[in-house]
Amino acid sequence: MTFGEYIREIREEQQLLLREVASQMNIDTALLSKIERGTRMARKEQAEALAKVLKQNKNELLQFWMADKIVFMLKDEKNITEILKIVEQKINRLSKK
Amino acid sequence: MTFGEYIREIREEQQLLLREVASQMNIDTALLSKIERGTRMARKEQAEALAKVLKQNKNELLQFWMADKIVFMLKDEKNITEILKIVEQKINRLSKK
DNA sequence: TTTTGACTTGTCAATATCTGTCTAATGTAA
DNA sequence: TTACATTAGACAGATATTGACAAGTCAAAA
């Protein structure tokens, strides 16, 4: 599930309209629509605003948002697993220092 | 080890000058210097050119390059491990489809 | 059928970021 | 000093991102 699908689900559970949420975020309805549909990526501040409006845990939502960005970067790669292994090695070495 | 450190190491092993490699890549020496020192990120085509000039396996080097980009995105995050877990879950679901 | 309301799409200008080069600086060995 | 390799900083041009607007679709209500 993408970030957009996720927040759409939450918004619909809470029976909120795009226009209501967008208004509280101070953005255009069209932009929020695009974010939910994945044709635009939310900015960090927008992800934070969404957490607030939808009453979600901010850090959790931001993690989900960041994961989405990474998946987006990787989605057309051939050896995703291999790349992620390298990432983990690099991260492990970083954290040791 | 970062992408830049890695290619610098290889270049020095081969006793090539920045200017020689940069020239073969059709970029300014200063730019290659920055890439090696990590103050600039190589573009994909530049990573490919480096593989060629330094006679490295192109796919391997590109994987390393991509991993570097991801590490760069993650480096200031708090819960990197958690984020990577989410990424892996998302990727697994993607590949099942 | 017409209207209404929710949502979506395409386009565009403004802005932000990225890129590569140039010049000047630094370092170093002869 | 001179010569050469590398690095730093600043800049303009290229690209990408952003948010808004207007027009579109669609379904349900009137």
Short mmCIF file of all heavy atoms in Angstrom, two decimals, chain C residues 1 7 9-12 15-16 20 22-23 27-28 30, chain D residues 1 3-4 8-9 11 15-16 19-22 24 30:
data_model
loop_
_atom_site.label_atom_id
_atom_site.label_comp_id
_atom_site.label_asym_id
_atom_site.label_seq_id
_atom_site.Cartn_x
_atom_site.Cartn_y
_atom_site.Cartn_z
P DT C 1 -31.15 13.73 -21.07
OP1 DT C 1 -31.83 12.55 -20.67
OP2 DT C 1 -29.81 14.03 -21.30
"O5'" DT C 1 -32.06 14.94 -21.63
"C5'" DT C 1 -33.35 15.02 -21.07
"C4'" DT C 1 -33.42 16.23 -20.15
"O4'" DT C 1 -33.74 15.78 -18.80
"C3'" DT C 1 -32.09 16.98 -20.04
"O3'" DT C 1 -32.38 18.36 -19.99
"C2'" DT C 1 -31.52 16.54 -18.71
"C1'" DT C 1 -32.76 16.26 -17.90
N1 DT C 1 -32.61 15.19 -16.86
C2 DT C 1 -32.79 15.54 -15.54
O2 DT C 1 -33.08 16.68 -15.20
N3 DT C 1 -32.65 14.52 -14.66
C4 DT C 1 -32.33 13.20 -14.93
O4 DT C 1 -32.22 12.38 -14.03
C5 DT C 1 -32.15 12.90 -16.30
C7 DT C 1 -31.80 11.54 -16.73
C6 DT C 1 -32.28 13.89 -17.22
P DC C 7 -14.31 13.82 -1.91
OP1 DC C 7 -14.19 12.55 -1.20
OP2 DC C 7 -13.86 15.09 -1.30
"O5'" DC C 7 -13.57 13.66 -3.32
"C5'" DC C 7 -13.98 12.59 -4.18
"C4'" DC C 7 -13.46 12.84 -5.57
"O4'" DC C 7 -13.95 14.07 -6.10
"C3'" DC C 7 -11.94 12.93 -5.69
"O3'" DC C 7 -11.50 11.76 -6.35
"C2'" DC C 7 -11.70 14.18 -6.55
"C1'" DC C 7 -13.07 14.43 -7.14
N1 DC C 7 -13.37 15.83 -7.54
C2 DC C 7 -13.50 16.12 -8.89
O2 DC C 7 -13.36 15.21 -9.72
N3 DC C 7 -13.78 17.40 -9.28
C4 DC C 7 -13.92 18.35 -8.37
N4 DC C 7 -14.19 19.58 -8.79
C5 DC C 7 -13.79 18.08 -6.98
C6 DC C 7 -13.51 16.82 -6.60
P DT C 9 -7.19 11.26 -12.63
OP1 DT C 9 -7.39 9.96 -13.31
OP2 DT C 9 -6.20 11.42 -11.57
"O5'" DT C 9 -6.90 12.35 -13.75
"C5'" DT C 9 -7.96 12.78 -14.60
"C4'" DT C 9 -7.52 14.00 -15.39
"O4'" DT C 9 -7.83 15.19 -14.64
"C3'" DT C 9 -6.02 14.07 -15.69
"O3'" DT C 9 -5.86 14.06 -17.10
"C2'" DT C 9 -5.55 15.38 -15.06
"C1'" DT C 9 -6.85 16.15 -14.86
N1 DT C 9 -6.90 17.04 -13.67
C2 DT C 9 -7.31 18.35 -13.84
O2 DT C 9 -7.61 18.83 -14.91
N3 DT C 9 -7.35 19.09 -12.68
C4 DT C 9 -7.04 18.67 -11.41
O4 DT C 9 -7.11 19.42 -10.45
C5 DT C 9 -6.61 17.28 -11.30
C7 DT C 9 -6.25 16.73 -9.97
C6 DT C 9 -6.57 16.55 -12.42
P DG C 10 -4.44 14.11 -17.78
OP1 DG C 10 -4.54 13.34 -19.04
OP2 DG C 10 -3.40 13.79 -16.78
"O5'" DG C 10 -4.32 15.66 -18.15
"C5'" DG C 10 -5.42 16.31 -18.78
"C4'" DG C 10 -5.02 17.74 -19.11
"O4'" DG C 10 -5.22 18.59 -17.95
"C3'" DG C 10 -3.56 17.92 -19.53
"O3'" DG C 10 -3.53 18.84 -20.61
"C2'" DG C 10 -2.88 18.46 -18.28
"C1'" DG C 10 -4.02 19.24 -17.60
N9 DG C 10 -3.96 19.27 -16.14
C8 DG C 10 -3.61 18.24 -15.31
N7 DG C 10 -3.68 18.55 -14.04
C5 DG C 10 -4.09 19.87 -14.04
C6 DG C 10 -4.33 20.75 -12.94
O6 DG C 10 -4.23 20.53 -11.74
N1 DG C 10 -4.73 22.02 -13.38
C2 DG C 10 -4.87 22.38 -14.70
N2 DG C 10 -5.26 23.64 -14.92
N3 DG C 10 -4.65 21.56 -15.72
C4 DG C 10 -4.26 20.32 -15.32
P DT C 11 -2.14 19.29 -21.24
OP1 DT C 11 -2.42 19.49 -22.68
OP2 DT C 11 -1.06 18.40 -20.79
"O5'" DT C 11 -1.92 20.72 -20.57
"C5'" DT C 11 -3.01 21.64 -20.55
"C4'" DT C 11 -2.60 22.90 -19.81
"O4'" DT C 11 -2.66 22.69 -18.37
"C3'" DT C 11 -1.18 23.39 -20.11
"O3'" DT C 11 -1.28 24.77 -20.42
"C2'" DT C 11 -0.42 23.14 -18.81
"C1'" DT C 11 -1.53 23.28 -17.78
N1 DT C 11 -1.33 22.59 -16.47
C2 DT C 11 -1.61 23.28 -15.31
O2 DT C 11 -1.98 24.44 -15.31
N3 DT C 11 -1.43 22.58 -14.16
C4 DT C 11 -1.00 21.27 -14.04
O4 DT C 11 -0.87 20.74 -12.95
C5 DT C 11 -0.73 20.59 -15.28
C7 DT C 11 -0.25 19.18 -15.27
C6 DT C 11 -0.90 21.28 -16.42
P DC C 12 -0.14 25.53 -21.18
OP1 DC C 12 -0.76 26.34 -22.23
OP2 DC C 12 0.97 24.59 -21.47
"O5'" DC C 12 0.36 26.52 -20.03
"C5'" DC C 12 -0.60 27.31 -19.32
"C4'" DC C 12 0.03 27.85 -18.06
"O4'" DC C 12 0.05 26.83 -17.05
"C3'" DC C 12 1.48 28.31 -18.25
"O3'" DC C 12 1.57 29.68 -17.96
"C2'" DC C 12 2.28 27.45 -17.28
"C1'" DC C 12 1.22 26.96 -16.29
N1 DC C 12 1.52 25.63 -15.68
C2 DC C 12 1.37 25.46 -14.30
O2 DC C 12 1.00 26.42 -13.61
N3 DC C 12 1.64 24.26 -13.75
C4 DC C 12 2.03 23.25 -14.53
N4 DC C 12 2.27 22.08 -13.95
C5 DC C 12 2.19 23.40 -15.94
C6 DC C 12 1.93 24.61 -16.47
P DT C 15 8.01 33.58 -7.12
OP1 DT C 15 7.50 34.26 -5.93
OP2 DT C 15 8.87 34.25 -8.10
"O5'" DT C 15 8.78 32.27 -6.64
"C5'" DT C 15 8.02 31.20 -6.04
"C4'" DT C 15 8.87 29.96 -5.98
"O4'" DT C 15 9.03 29.39 -7.29
"C3'" DT C 15 10.28 30.21 -5.46
"O3'" DT C 15 10.34 29.53 -4.22
"C2'" DT C 15 11.20 29.63 -6.54
"C1'" DT C 15 10.26 28.73 -7.33
N1 DT C 15 10.58 28.48 -8.76
C2 DT C 15 10.77 27.18 -9.18
O2 DT C 15 10.73 26.23 -8.41
N3 DT C 15 11.03 27.01 -10.51
C4 DT C 15 11.10 28.02 -11.46
O4 DT C 15 11.32 27.76 -12.62
C5 DT C 15 10.88 29.36 -10.97
C7 DT C 15 10.94 30.51 -11.92
C6 DT C 15 10.63 29.53 -9.66
P DA C 16 11.64 29.60 -3.30
OP1 DA C 16 11.20 29.53 -1.89
OP2 DA C 16 12.55 30.67 -3.77
"O5'" DA C 16 12.29 28.18 -3.69
"C5'" DA C 16 11.44 27.04 -3.71
"C4'" DA C 16 12.25 25.84 -4.14
"O4'" DA C 16 12.41 25.82 -5.58
"C3'" DA C 16 13.65 25.79 -3.55
"O3'" DA C 16 13.85 24.47 -3.10
"C2'" DA C 16 14.56 26.17 -4.73
"C1'" DA C 16 13.76 25.64 -5.92
N9 DA C 16 13.96 26.34 -7.18
C8 DA C 16 13.91 27.70 -7.40
N7 DA C 16 14.10 28.04 -8.66
C5 DA C 16 14.29 26.82 -9.31
C6 DA C 16 14.54 26.50 -10.65
N6 DA C 16 14.65 27.40 -11.62
N1 DA C 16 14.67 25.18 -10.96
C2 DA C 16 14.56 24.27 -9.99
N3 DA C 16 14.33 24.45 -8.69
C4 DA C 16 14.20 25.77 -8.41
P DG C 20 26.50 17.43 -14.76
OP1 DG C 20 26.36 16.53 -15.92
OP2 DG C 20 27.03 16.94 -13.49
"O5'" DG C 20 27.36 18.69 -15.23
"C5'" DG C 20 26.95 19.41 -16.38
"C4'" DG C 20 27.84 20.62 -16.57
"O4'" DG C 20 27.61 21.54 -15.50
"C3'" DG C 20 29.34 20.27 -16.53
"O3'" DG C 20 29.93 20.76 -17.73
"C2'" DG C 20 29.87 20.98 -15.28
"C1'" DG C 20 28.82 22.05 -15.03
N9 DG C 20 28.62 22.41 -13.63
C8 DG C 20 28.53 21.56 -12.56
N7 DG C 20 28.32 22.17 -11.42
C5 DG C 20 28.26 23.51 -11.75
C6 DG C 20 28.06 24.65 -10.93
O6 DG C 20 27.89 24.70 -9.71
N1 DG C 20 28.08 25.83 -11.67
C2 DG C 20 28.27 25.90 -13.04
N2 DG C 20 28.25 27.11 -13.57
N3 DG C 20 28.46 24.84 -13.82
C4 DG C 20 28.44 23.68 -13.11
P DC C 22 34.91 26.29 -19.01
OP1 DC C 22 34.78 26.78 -20.39
OP2 DC C 22 35.79 25.15 -18.70
"O5'" DC C 22 35.31 27.51 -18.06
"C5'" DC C 22 34.42 28.62 -17.98
"C4'" DC C 22 34.81 29.50 -16.78
"O4'" DC C 22 34.37 28.86 -15.57
"C3'" DC C 22 36.31 29.71 -16.65
"O3'" DC C 22 36.61 31.09 -16.71
"C2'" DC C 22 36.68 29.11 -15.29
"C1'" DC C 22 35.34 29.04 -14.57
N1 DC C 22 35.26 27.87 -13.65
C2 DC C 22 34.86 28.07 -12.32
O2 DC C 22 34.63 29.21 -11.92
N3 DC C 22 34.78 26.99 -11.49
C4 DC C 22 35.06 25.77 -11.96
N4 DC C 22 34.95 24.74 -11.11
C5 DC C 22 35.45 25.55 -13.31
C6 DC C 22 35.53 26.62 -14.11
P DT C 23 38.11 31.60 -16.75
OP1 DT C 23 38.09 32.82 -17.57
OP2 DT C 23 38.99 30.47 -17.09
"O5'" DT C 23 38.38 32.00 -15.23
"C5'" DT C 23 37.40 32.75 -14.50
"C4'" DT C 23 37.83 32.87 -13.06
"O4'" DT C 23 37.49 31.66 -12.35
"C3'" DT C 23 39.35 33.06 -12.88
"O3'" DT C 23 39.56 34.11 -11.96
"C2'" DT C 23 39.83 31.71 -12.37
"C1'" DT C 23 38.61 31.20 -11.61
N1 DT C 23 38.49 29.72 -11.50
C2 DT C 23 38.06 29.17 -10.31
O2 DT C 23 37.78 29.84 -9.33
N3 DT C 23 38.00 27.80 -10.30
C4 DT C 23 38.31 26.94 -11.34
O4 DT C 23 38.21 25.74 -11.22
C5 DT C 23 38.75 27.59 -12.56
C7 DT C 23 39.12 26.74 -13.74
C6 DT C 23 38.82 28.93 -12.58
P DG C 27 46.65 24.44 2.41
OP1 DG C 27 46.00 23.88 3.61
OP2 DG C 27 47.61 25.56 2.53
"O5'" DG C 27 47.38 23.25 1.63
"C5'" DG C 27 46.60 22.20 1.08
"C4'" DG C 27 47.48 21.33 0.20
"O4'" DG C 27 47.70 21.98 -1.08
"C3'" DG C 27 48.86 21.04 0.79
"O3'" DG C 27 49.09 19.64 0.63
"C2'" DG C 27 49.82 21.84 -0.10
"C1'" DG C 27 49.06 21.86 -1.43
N9 DG C 27 49.37 22.95 -2.36
C8 DG C 27 49.37 24.30 -2.09
N7 DG C 27 49.66 25.03 -3.14
C5 DG C 27 49.85 24.10 -4.16
C6 DG C 27 50.19 24.30 -5.52
O6 DG C 27 50.38 25.36 -6.12
N1 DG C 27 50.30 23.08 -6.20
C2 DG C 27 50.10 21.83 -5.64
N2 DG C 27 50.25 20.79 -6.45
N3 DG C 27 49.78 21.65 -4.37
C4 DG C 27 49.68 22.82 -3.69
P DT C 28 50.26 18.96 1.49
OP1 DT C 28 49.66 17.79 2.16
OP2 DT C 28 50.99 19.99 2.26
"O5'" DT C 28 51.23 18.44 0.34
"C5'" DT C 28 50.70 18.07 -0.94
"C4'" DT C 28 51.82 17.91 -1.94
"O4'" DT C 28 51.89 19.07 -2.83
"C3'" DT C 28 53.22 17.80 -1.32
"O3'" DT C 28 53.97 16.87 -2.08
"C2'" DT C 28 53.79 19.19 -1.48
"C1'" DT C 28 53.23 19.52 -2.86
N1 DT C 28 53.22 20.95 -3.24
C2 DT C 28 53.42 21.27 -4.58
O2 DT C 28 53.58 20.44 -5.44
N3 DT C 28 53.40 22.61 -4.85
C4 DT C 28 53.23 23.65 -3.95
O4 DT C 28 53.23 24.82 -4.32
C5 DT C 28 53.04 23.25 -2.59
C7 DT C 28 52.85 24.30 -1.53
C6 DT C 28 53.05 21.93 -2.30
P DA C 30 59.84 14.88 -5.87
OP1 DA C 30 60.00 13.52 -6.43
OP2 DA C 30 60.43 15.22 -4.54
"O5'" DA C 30 60.36 15.95 -6.92
"C5'" DA C 30 59.76 16.00 -8.22
"C4'" DA C 30 60.34 17.18 -9.00
"O4'" DA C 30 59.95 18.42 -8.35
"C3'" DA C 30 61.87 17.20 -9.06
"O3'" DA C 30 62.27 17.66 -10.33
"C2'" DA C 30 62.27 18.21 -7.98
"C1'" DA C 30 61.10 19.19 -8.05
N9 DA C 30 60.84 19.92 -6.80
C8 DA C 30 60.74 19.40 -5.54
N7 DA C 30 60.48 20.28 -4.61
C5 DA C 30 60.41 21.47 -5.31
C6 DA C 30 60.15 22.80 -4.91
N6 DA C 30 59.91 23.15 -3.64
N1 DA C 30 60.13 23.76 -5.86
C2 DA C 30 60.36 23.40 -7.13
N3 DA C 30 60.61 22.19 -7.63
C4 DA C 30 60.62 21.26 -6.67
P DT D 1 57.54 32.85 -5.38
OP1 DT D 1 56.73 34.03 -5.40
OP2 DT D 1 56.95 31.55 -5.48
"O5'" DT D 1 58.73 33.18 -6.38
"C5'" DT D 1 59.97 32.53 -6.10
"C4'" DT D 1 60.44 31.88 -7.40
"O4'" DT D 1 60.97 30.57 -7.05
"C3'" DT D 1 59.35 31.62 -8.44
"O3'" DT D 1 59.88 31.77 -9.76
"C2'" DT D 1 58.92 30.20 -8.18
"C1'" DT D 1 60.19 29.55 -7.65
N1 DT D 1 59.91 28.52 -6.60
C2 DT D 1 60.10 27.21 -6.90
O2 DT D 1 60.50 26.85 -8.00
N3 DT D 1 59.80 26.34 -5.89
C4 DT D 1 59.35 26.63 -4.62
O4 DT D 1 59.11 25.77 -3.80
C5 DT D 1 59.18 28.04 -4.35
C7 DT D 1 58.70 28.50 -3.02
C6 DT D 1 59.46 28.91 -5.34
P DA D 3 56.97 26.92 -15.05
OP1 DA D 3 57.63 26.75 -16.36
OP2 DA D 3 55.89 27.92 -14.87
"O5'" DA D 3 56.44 25.50 -14.56
"C5'" DA D 3 57.37 24.46 -14.31
"C4'" DA D 3 56.58 23.23 -13.92
"O4'" DA D 3 56.24 23.32 -12.52
"C3'" DA D 3 55.26 23.09 -14.67
"O3'" DA D 3 55.09 21.73 -15.04
"C2'" DA D 3 54.21 23.56 -13.69
"C1'" DA D 3 54.85 23.16 -12.36
N9 DA D 3 54.47 24.01 -11.23
C8 DA D 3 54.21 25.35 -11.25
N7 DA D 3 53.88 25.85 -10.07
C5 DA D 3 53.93 24.74 -9.23
C6 DA D 3 53.69 24.59 -7.85
N6 DA D 3 53.34 25.58 -7.04
N1 DA D 3 53.81 23.35 -7.33
C2 DA D 3 54.17 22.34 -8.14
N3 DA D 3 54.42 22.35 -9.44
C4 DA D 3 54.29 23.60 -9.94
P DC D 4 53.84 21.35 -16.03
OP1 DC D 4 54.41 20.44 -17.05
OP2 DC D 4 53.10 22.57 -16.42
"O5'" DC D 4 52.92 20.51 -15.05
"C5'" DC D 4 53.51 19.53 -14.22
"C4'" DC D 4 52.56 19.20 -13.10
"O4'" DC D 4 52.52 20.29 -12.15
"C3'" DC D 4 51.11 18.99 -13.55
"O3'" DC D 4 50.71 17.71 -13.12
"C2'" DC D 4 50.34 20.09 -12.84
"C1'" DC D 4 51.22 20.34 -11.62
N1 DC D 4 51.04 21.65 -10.96
C2 DC D 4 50.95 21.69 -9.57
O2 DC D 4 51.05 20.63 -8.93
N3 DC D 4 50.78 22.88 -8.94
C4 DC D 4 50.69 24.00 -9.66
N4 DC D 4 50.52 25.14 -8.99
C5 DC D 4 50.77 23.99 -11.07
C6 DC D 4 50.94 22.81 -11.68
P DA D 8 37.57 21.07 -0.68
OP1 DA D 8 37.76 20.90 0.77
OP2 DA D 8 36.60 20.27 -1.42
"O5'" DA D 8 37.26 22.61 -0.96
"C5'" DA D 8 38.25 23.57 -0.68
"C4'" DA D 8 37.73 24.95 -1.01
"O4'" DA D 8 37.96 25.22 -2.42
"C3'" DA D 8 36.23 25.12 -0.78
"O3'" DA D 8 36.05 26.36 -0.11
"C2'" DA D 8 35.61 25.09 -2.17
"C1'" DA D 8 36.75 25.61 -3.04
N9 DA D 8 36.80 25.05 -4.40
C8 DA D 8 36.68 23.75 -4.76
N7 DA D 8 36.81 23.52 -6.05
C5 DA D 8 37.03 24.79 -6.57
C6 DA D 8 37.25 25.24 -7.89
N6 DA D 8 37.28 24.43 -8.94
N1 DA D 8 37.44 26.56 -8.07
C2 DA D 8 37.42 27.37 -7.00
N3 DA D 8 37.23 27.07 -5.72
C4 DA D 8 37.04 25.74 -5.56
P DG D 9 34.58 26.81 0.36
OP1 DG D 9 34.75 27.52 1.64
OP2 DG D 9 33.64 25.68 0.26
"O5'" DG D 9 34.21 27.88 -0.77
"C5'" DG D 9 35.21 28.80 -1.20
"C4'" DG D 9 34.63 29.75 -2.22
"O4'" DG D 9 34.81 29.22 -3.55
"C3'" DG D 9 33.12 30.00 -2.06
"O3'" DG D 9 32.90 31.38 -2.29
"C2'" DG D 9 32.50 29.12 -3.13
"C1'" DG D 9 33.56 29.14 -4.23
N9 DG D 9 33.61 27.96 -5.08
C8 DG D 9 33.41 26.65 -4.71
N7 DG D 9 33.53 25.81 -5.71
C5 DG D 9 33.82 26.61 -6.80
C6 DG D 9 34.06 26.27 -8.16
O6 DG D 9 34.06 25.15 -8.68
N1 DG D 9 34.32 27.40 -8.93
C2 DG D 9 34.35 28.68 -8.46
N2 DG D 9 34.62 29.63 -9.35
N3 DG D 9 34.13 29.01 -7.20
C4 DG D 9 33.88 27.94 -6.43
P DC D 11 28.77 35.34 -7.14
OP1 DC D 11 29.18 36.75 -7.26
OP2 DC D 11 27.78 34.92 -6.13
"O5'" DC D 11 28.23 34.85 -8.57
"C5'" DC D 11 29.12 34.86 -9.68
"C4'" DC D 11 28.61 33.95 -10.75
"O4'" DC D 11 28.81 32.59 -10.37
"C3'" DC D 11 27.10 34.07 -11.01
"O3'" DC D 11 26.92 34.89 -12.15
"C2'" DC D 11 26.62 32.64 -11.22
"C1'" DC D 11 27.87 31.79 -11.05
N1 DC D 11 27.68 30.54 -10.27
C2 DC D 11 27.90 29.31 -10.88
O2 DC D 11 28.24 29.30 -12.07
N3 DC D 11 27.72 28.18 -10.18
C4 DC D 11 27.34 28.23 -8.91
N4 DC D 11 27.19 27.09 -8.25
C5 DC D 11 27.11 29.48 -8.26
C6 DC D 11 27.28 30.60 -8.96
P DT D 15 18.36 20.60 -19.89
OP1 DT D 15 18.95 19.61 -20.75
OP2 DT D 15 17.21 21.43 -20.33
"O5'" DT D 15 17.93 19.86 -18.53
"C5'" DT D 15 17.92 20.59 -17.36
"C4'" DT D 15 17.43 19.77 -16.20
"O4'" DT D 15 17.23 20.69 -15.11
"C3'" DT D 15 16.08 19.10 -16.44
"O3'" DT D 15 16.05 17.91 -15.64
"C2'" DT D 15 15.10 20.17 -15.99
"C1'" DT D 15 15.86 20.85 -14.84
N1 DT D 15 15.58 22.32 -14.68
C2 DT D 15 15.43 22.81 -13.40
O2 DT D 15 15.51 22.10 -12.41
N3 DT D 15 15.18 24.15 -13.32
C4 DT D 15 15.07 25.03 -14.37
O4 DT D 15 14.84 26.22 -14.15
C5 DT D 15 15.25 24.46 -15.69
C7 DT D 15 15.16 25.34 -16.90
C6 DT D 15 15.50 23.15 -15.77
P DA D 16 14.73 17.04 -15.52
OP1 DA D 16 15.16 15.63 -15.34
OP2 DA D 16 13.77 17.39 -16.58
"O5'" DA D 16 14.17 17.55 -14.12
"C5'" DA D 16 15.07 17.73 -13.04
"C4'" DA D 16 14.31 18.02 -11.77
"O4'" DA D 16 14.01 19.43 -11.67
"C3'" DA D 16 12.96 17.30 -11.65
"O3'" DA D 16 12.85 16.87 -10.29
"C2'" DA D 16 11.94 18.36 -12.06
"C1'" DA D 16 12.61 19.64 -11.60
N9 DA D 16 12.36 20.83 -12.42
C8 DA D 16 12.41 20.91 -13.78
N7 DA D 16 12.15 22.12 -14.25
C5 DA D 16 11.93 22.87 -13.11
C6 DA D 16 11.61 24.24 -12.92
N6 DA D 16 11.47 25.10 -13.92
N1 DA D 16 11.44 24.66 -11.66
C2 DA D 16 11.60 23.79 -10.66
N3 DA D 16 11.89 22.50 -10.71
C4 DA D 16 12.05 22.10 -11.97
P DG D 19 3.62 22.48 -2.41
OP1 DG D 19 3.77 22.95 -1.03
OP2 DG D 19 3.17 21.10 -2.68
"O5'" DG D 19 2.65 23.48 -3.17
"C5'" DG D 19 2.92 24.86 -3.11
"C4'" DG D 19 1.92 25.59 -3.96
"O4'" DG D 19 2.13 25.23 -5.35
"C3'" DG D 19 0.45 25.28 -3.65
"O3'" DG D 19 -0.23 26.50 -3.51
"C2'" DG D 19 -0.02 24.47 -4.86
"C1'" DG D 19 0.89 24.98 -5.97
N9 DG D 19 1.14 24.03 -7.05
C8 DG D 19 1.37 22.68 -6.92
N7 DG D 19 1.58 22.08 -8.08
C5 DG D 19 1.48 23.10 -9.00
C6 DG D 19 1.61 23.07 -10.42
O6 DG D 19 1.85 22.09 -11.15
N1 DG D 19 1.44 24.33 -10.99
C2 DG D 19 1.18 25.48 -10.28
N2 DG D 19 1.04 26.60 -10.99
N3 DG D 19 1.05 25.53 -8.96
C4 DG D 19 1.21 24.31 -8.38
P DA D 20 -1.77 26.57 -3.14
OP1 DA D 20 -1.88 27.63 -2.12
OP2 DA D 20 -2.33 25.24 -2.89
"O5'" DA D 20 -2.39 27.15 -4.49
"C5'" DA D 20 -1.82 28.32 -5.05
"C4'" DA D 20 -2.38 28.55 -6.43
"O4'" DA D 20 -1.89 27.52 -7.30
"C3'" DA D 20 -3.91 28.50 -6.48
"O3'" DA D 20 -4.35 29.72 -7.03
"C2'" DA D 20 -4.23 27.30 -7.37
"C1'" DA D 20 -2.94 27.08 -8.14
N9 DA D 20 -2.65 25.68 -8.45
C8 DA D 20 -2.58 24.63 -7.57
N7 DA D 20 -2.27 23.48 -8.13
C5 DA D 20 -2.14 23.78 -9.46
C6 DA D 20 -1.82 23.00 -10.58
N6 DA D 20 -1.58 21.70 -10.53
N1 DA D 20 -1.77 23.63 -11.78
C2 DA D 20 -2.01 24.95 -11.84
N3 DA D 20 -2.31 25.79 -10.85
C4 DA D 20 -2.36 25.14 -9.68
P DC D 21 -5.90 30.14 -6.93
OP1 DC D 21 -5.91 31.59 -6.68
OP2 DC D 21 -6.62 29.21 -6.04
"O5'" DC D 21 -6.41 29.87 -8.42
"C5'" DC D 21 -5.68 30.42 -9.50
"C4'" DC D 21 -6.07 29.71 -10.77
"O4'" DC D 21 -5.51 28.39 -10.78
"C3'" DC D 21 -7.58 29.55 -10.96
"O3'" DC D 21 -7.96 30.33 -12.08
"C2'" DC D 21 -7.78 28.05 -11.18
"C1'" DC D 21 -6.38 27.55 -11.51
N1 DC D 21 -6.10 26.15 -11.08
C2 DC D 21 -5.66 25.24 -12.04
O2 DC D 21 -5.54 25.62 -13.22
N3 DC D 21 -5.39 23.97 -11.67
C4 DC D 21 -5.52 23.60 -10.40
N4 DC D 21 -5.22 22.35 -10.08
C5 DC D 21 -5.96 24.53 -9.40
C6 DC D 21 -6.23 25.77 -9.78
P DA D 22 -9.56 30.54 -12.37
OP1 DA D 22 -9.72 31.92 -12.85
OP2 DA D 22 -10.36 30.04 -11.24
"O5'" DA D 22 -9.78 29.54 -13.60
"C5'" DA D 22 -8.74 29.38 -14.56
"C4'" DA D 22 -9.09 28.24 -15.49
"O4'" DA D 22 -8.66 26.98 -14.91
"C3'" DA D 22 -10.59 28.09 -15.74
"O3'" DA D 22 -10.78 27.70 -17.09
"C2'" DA D 22 -11.01 26.99 -14.76
"C1'" DA D 22 -9.77 26.10 -14.79
N9 DA D 22 -9.56 25.29 -13.60
C8 DA D 22 -9.83 25.61 -12.29
N7 DA D 22 -9.52 24.67 -11.43
C5 DA D 22 -9.02 23.66 -12.22
C6 DA D 22 -8.52 22.39 -11.92
N6 DA D 22 -8.43 21.91 -10.69
N1 DA D 22 -8.09 21.62 -12.96
C2 DA D 22 -8.16 22.11 -14.19
N3 DA D 22 -8.61 23.29 -14.60
C4 DA D 22 -9.03 24.02 -13.56
P DG D 24 -13.84 21.70 -20.65
OP1 DG D 24 -13.55 21.53 -22.08
OP2 DG D 24 -15.08 22.39 -20.22
"O5'" DG D 24 -13.83 20.26 -19.95
"C5'" DG D 24 -12.73 19.39 -20.24
"C4'" DG D 24 -12.74 18.24 -19.24
"O4'" DG D 24 -12.57 18.80 -17.93
"C3'" DG D 24 -14.07 17.49 -19.18
"O3'" DG D 24 -13.99 16.29 -19.93
"C2'" DG D 24 -14.26 17.17 -17.71
"C1'" DG D 24 -13.20 17.95 -16.99
N9 DG D 24 -13.74 18.78 -15.92
C8 DG D 24 -14.30 20.03 -16.01
N7 DG D 24 -14.69 20.50 -14.85
C5 DG D 24 -14.36 19.50 -13.95
C6 DG D 24 -14.55 19.44 -12.55
O6 DG D 24 -15.04 20.29 -11.80
N1 DG D 24 -14.08 18.24 -12.02
C2 DG D 24 -13.51 17.22 -12.76
N2 DG D 24 -13.11 16.14 -12.10
N3 DG D 24 -13.31 17.27 -14.07
C4 DG D 24 -13.77 18.44 -14.59
P DA D 30 -32.37 15.76 -3.00
OP1 DA D 30 -32.28 16.63 -1.82
OP2 DA D 30 -33.22 14.54 -2.96
"O5'" DA D 30 -32.83 16.64 -4.24
"C5'" DA D 30 -32.10 17.81 -4.56
"C4'" DA D 30 -32.66 18.43 -5.83
"O4'" DA D 30 -32.40 17.56 -6.94
"C3'" DA D 30 -34.18 18.63 -5.77
"O3'" DA D 30 -34.48 19.93 -6.24
"C2'" DA D 30 -34.75 17.58 -6.72
"C1'" DA D 30 -33.60 17.42 -7.71
N9 DA D 30 -33.51 16.11 -8.36
C8 DA D 30 -33.60 14.88 -7.78
N7 DA D 30 -33.47 13.88 -8.63
C5 DA D 30 -33.29 14.50 -9.85
C6 DA D 30 -33.09 14.00 -11.15
N6 DA D 30 -33.04 12.71 -11.43
N1 DA D 30 -32.93 14.90 -12.15
C2 DA D 30 -32.99 16.20 -11.85
N3 DA D 30 -33.16 16.79 -10.66
C4 DA D 30 -33.31 15.87 -9.70
#
